[in-house]
Amino acid sequence: MSAPEQKPDSRLKQAEKIATHPEQYKVCEGCGSIVVTRAVTCPSCHAYLFDTTSIRVIAQAKELALRAANSVLASDLS
């Protein structure tokens, strides 16, 4: 089972929010997810290496906003 469909508008709004305040986010080097800066490990892949530069966060937010969601859910693993 895959992630529930998200409207492109929803993904675009989230990307705008992230791009407006990139200092509050970081990009997981393991899977490319964007997480809040207080996260110690990535909730998606459990990696612990992140890129905190604003340029990378904004670029990743734009990239993720333009493509379809493809997250793996816990139910996919059982």
Side-chain angles (χ1 to χ4, degrees), residues 16-25 57:
E16 288 173 0
K17 176 183 168 187
I18 292 167
T20 304
H21 300 287
E23 71 281 355
Q24 296 177 1
Y25 302 92
V57 171

Side-chain angles (χ1 to χ4, degrees), residues 15-53:
E16 288 173 0
K17 176 183 168 187
I18 292 167
T20 304
H21 300 287
E23 71 281 355
Q24 296 177 1
Y25 302 92
K26 56 189 176 181
V27 178
C28 174
E29 293 291 359
C31 68
S33 294
I34 297 175
V35 299
V36 293
T37 55
R38 69 179 176 271
V40 177
T41 60
C42 176
S44 298
C45 73
H46 307 291
Y48 54 86
L49 297 175
F50 300 93
D51 187 336
T52 59
T53 60

Side-chain angles (χ1 to χ4, degrees), residues 6 8 11 31-33 60-71:
Q6 282 187 317
R11 292 176 67 81
C31 68
S33 294
Q60 188 71 3
K62 288 178 181 177
E63 182 181 326
L64 293 175
L66 297 175
R67 73 175 199 209
N70 59 358
S71 299

